[in-house]
Amino acid sequence: MNTQIAKSDFNKRIGKLVLPIVVQNLLSATISSTDVVMLNYVGQSSISAVSLATQITSILFMFYFGLGTGATMLCAQYYGKGDMHAIEVVEGISLRFSVVISVIMAVLAVSIPETLMTIYTNDPELIRIGASYLRIVSVSYLCWGIIEIYLAVLRSIGRVTISTALNMVAFFANIILNAVFIFGLFGAPKLGAAGVALATSISRVLELICCLVVSARSMDIKMDLRFMFIKNKVLFNDFIKLSLPALGNDVVWGLAFSTYSIIIGHLGSDAVAANSFVVVARNFGTILCFGVANAGGILIGQILGENKLEQAKEDTKRLMKLTVLSGLIGGLLILAATPFILKYATLTDTAMHYMKYMLLINTYYVMGAAVNTTLIAGVFRAGGNSSFGFICDAISMWCYAVPLGFISAFVLKLPVLVVYFLLCTDEFVKWPVVIHHYRSGKWIKNITRDHLFEDEEKRL
């Protein structure tokens, strides 16, 4: 009876978290797919250029995601403990890092966009289009760093519905503005690929304004830049110890994926264009998987913060069953979508051939991503065990997948599809080690501290 009650409570709590997060992921994937669909009517070069330019954005997102999940790791447990002041301090620490990173990347995107594009391609036309995109989208970076940290903190305390609503504002603004600026509707200039960047920047500004409105009305968590100046040595040290490995993990992972794009980018425009559509399909296929991973990490973190270690262990077993199911559903979705993508994409015959088999490879790839993401980015981090993922991904991607990709593409000069298949083995190589670490239970820890603010109280 107790087991049934525990299972019912888990299903209820995970359901409240998963659904809004899945909606957020769906909105994000839809924006990316809309960019590709609309640019499909502009030309293959625009699709390829924006696809490569957004790799810079993807790297930046990995920084934000790493900082956000690092903050979530601490905030979820302190929320379970009931310490809201500690959450504000962690939010401020995260903002210090994200604001600095945002400014640096914005300056680089404005000042040397051509140099950034040459990392991914040597095609002059793609460099020209991509550089124009980067200059304009740099404005969004300045807003994005603040937004992502605030939304991560909201999610960590269970306010996922609010963060979803804020994402929806950005989503609808982005979709509408994409159409306006890409095609020159309502008297606006017809900007093509640059229109995607302008739409993105404007929608981020609107999302930041909405965050400020929500923060002003919030009774618990504010978006306040003054939090950046709150000092607490213990929490700062914990953040560095626990969050920076998570940040390093996501950056290592993101840079590796970006390197995959460099490899594909030098295999020709057909490979790049095909991969642009495949990335969109994979993003949709992993929506549920990543939603389960994010929600699971938050829930397990809160349970560990309540010091219910045995319950956390049992709920993680239930979470893994959901993960496998979500991976299976994701693969089937990509398989079902393949005929429609092949029917409506307007690419060269060679690009269409590449795309067909790339999509089939991704039907099973999502299962590997689902299991690893739930464990590494969700469960292990919930217990403060972020260094494992950093080491695991650094070895599997930089000592295995990236060298394998370069050797197969540029030394052995293997066919494009063989290179792509080899790059997509990275998730399965690390399965044995990841699953072994999960079964060891070493990640099950309560990382919160007592008496954090005793010195402050004494001074008052």
Side-chain angles (χ1 to χ4, degrees):
M1 181 64 178
N2 289 337
T3 302
Q4 286 298 111
I5 293 173
K7 182 178 179 180
S8 176
D9 181 60
F10 169 81
N11 291 338
K12 183 178 179 181
R13 293 178 69 178
I14 198 72
K16 286 183 177 180
L17 291 170
V18 166
L19 292 178
I21 291 175
V22 165
V23 172
Q24 287 181 49
N25 292 345
L26 178 62
L27 295 176
S28 178
T30 303
I31 288 174
S32 299
S33 65
T34 302
D35 291 348
V36 173
V37 169
M38 290 186 182
L39 288 174
N40 186 46
Y41 294 97
V42 177
Q44 182 169 308
S45 293
S46 292
I47 295 174
S48 300
V50 170
S51 173
L52 293 175
T54 52
Q55 293 304 311
I56 305 295
T57 305
S58 297
I59 293 172
L60 186 57
F61 175 72
M62 286 299 107
F63 277 98
Y64 296 149
F65 186 76
L67 289 169
T69 53
T72 298
M73 186 165 38
L74 285 163
C75 290
Q77 288 215 16
Y78 277 109
Y79 183 69
K81 189 181 181 67
D83 191 340
M84 301 303 290
H85 187 32
I87 293 174
E88 293 176 348
V89 177
V90 173
E91 180 184 346
I93 295 169
S94 305
L95 284 170
R96 289 179 214 169
F97 288 97
S98 69
V99 169
V100 170
I101 292 168
S102 298
V103 172
I104 291 172
M105 288 302 298
V107 170
L108 291 176
V110 169
S111 59
I112 55 167
E114 291 87 1
T115 302
L116 295 176
M117 284 301 299
T118 57
I119 297 172
Y120 297 96
T121 182
N122 51 11
D123 187 313
E125 184 180 10
L126 298 188
I127 292 172
R128 178 184 60 80
I129 297 172
S132 174
Y133 174 93
L134 286 173
R135 284 194 182 94
I136 299 171
V137 85
S138 63
V139 176
S140 71
Y141 299 165
L142 301 174
C143 303
W144 199 15
I146 299 171
I147 293 169
E148 282 301 315
I149 297 301
Y150 183 58
L151 295 186
V153 174
L154 285 178
R155 287 192 292 267
S156 73
I157 65 170
R159 305 288 194 272
V160 288
T161 303
I162 296 174
S163 60
T164 300
L166 292 170
N167 281 148
M168 289 184 72
V169 171
F171 166 75
F172 286 113
N174 205 324
I175 295 295
I176 295 169
L177 293 172
N178 262 348
V180 170
F181 293 120
I182 290 174
F183 302 116
L185 305 180
F186 310 115
K190 189 176 181 179
L191 300 175
V196 176
L198 184 58
T200 299
S201 292
I202 294 174
S203 64
R204 288 295 180 196
V205 172
L206 291 174
E207 189 176 12
L208 180 60
I209 292 171
C210 290
C211 285
L212 290 169
V213 172
V214 169
S215 172
R217 296 184 177 184
S218 175
M219 298 299 291
D220 40 36
I221 296 299
K222 303 285 187 180
M223 187 177 72
D224 193 335
L225 294 182
R226 289 176 297 181
F227 292 163
M228 292 166 53
F229 305 102
I230 300 176
K231 294 183 179 180
N232 187 284
K233 187 176 181 180
V234 175
L235 275 177
F236 183 80
N237 289 339
D238 282 349
F239 185 87
I240 296 297
K241 179 182 176 182
L242 300 172
S243 299
L244 289 194
L247 171 60
N249 185 184
D250 290 327
V251 171
V252 161
W253 187 87
L255 287 173
F257 252 86
S258 187
T259 304
Y260 296 175
S261 295
I262 294 174
I263 294 170
I264 294 172
H266 286 80
L267 294 178
S269 179
D270 287 325
V272 174
N275 189 52
S276 300
F277 279 88
V278 173
V279 168
V280 171
R282 183 171 62 210
N283 287 344
F284 275 103
T286 55
I287 284 172
L288 182 58
C289 308
F290 292 168
V292 169
N294 292 341
I298 293 168
L299 178 56
I300 300 302
Q302 291 177 357
I303 294 170
L304 289 171
E306 295 167 6
N307 212 35
K308 299 176 180 177
L309 306 188
E310 194 59 37
Q311 181 182 333
K313 183 177 180 180
E314 292 302 315
D315 282 348
T316 301
K317 292 179 182 178
R318 299 183 179 103
L319 178 66
M320 290 310 299
K321 292 178 182 178
L322 286 179
T323 297
V324 172
L325 178 62
S326 69
L328 179 61
I329 292 172
L332 291 174
L333 284 174
I334 294 175
L335 185 63
T338 297
F340 296 97
I341 297 173
L342 293 173
K343 181 178 179 180
Y344 292 106
T346 55
L347 304 179
T348 65
D349 290 343
T350 301
M352 293 292 282
H353 174 72
Y354 290 159
M355 184 168 62
K356 176 182 177 180
Y357 290 99
M358 287 177 174
L359 286 167
L360 291 177
I361 289 170
N362 276 277
T363 58
Y364 66 82
Y365 181 78
V366 293
M367 180 62 78
V371 172
N372 288 327
T373 302
T374 295
L375 289 176
I376 293 175
V379 173
F380 298 163
R381 290 185 188 180
N385 187 199
S386 54
S387 58
F388 174 84
F390 174 61
I391 296 170
C392 182
D393 278 334
I395 293 173
S396 66
M397 301 189 87
W398 288 99
C399 297
Y400 168 76
V402 170
L404 181 64
F406 274 107
I407 292 170
S408 62
F410 306 123
V411 178
L412 301 178
K413 299 186 182 300
L414 298 177
V416 170
L417 290 175
V418 175
V419 174
Y420 187 82
F421 169 78
L422 292 173
L423 288 173
C424 288
T425 59
D426 64 309
E427 293 289 356
F428 298 97
V429 166
K430 57 190 176 190
W431 256 21
V433 177
V434 172
I435 294 172
H436 173 73
H437 188 67
Y438 158 64
R439 289 176 175 171
S440 74
K442 294 178 181 179
W443 51 270
I444 305 175
K445 294 178 182 177
N446 181 339
I447 58 175
T448 62
R449 295 177 181 268
D450 296 318
H451 314 300
L452 277 170
F453 306 105
E454 277 189 347
D455 291 340
E456 290 181 18
E457 292 169 0
K458 288 176 182 178
R459 285 196 296 269
L460 294 173

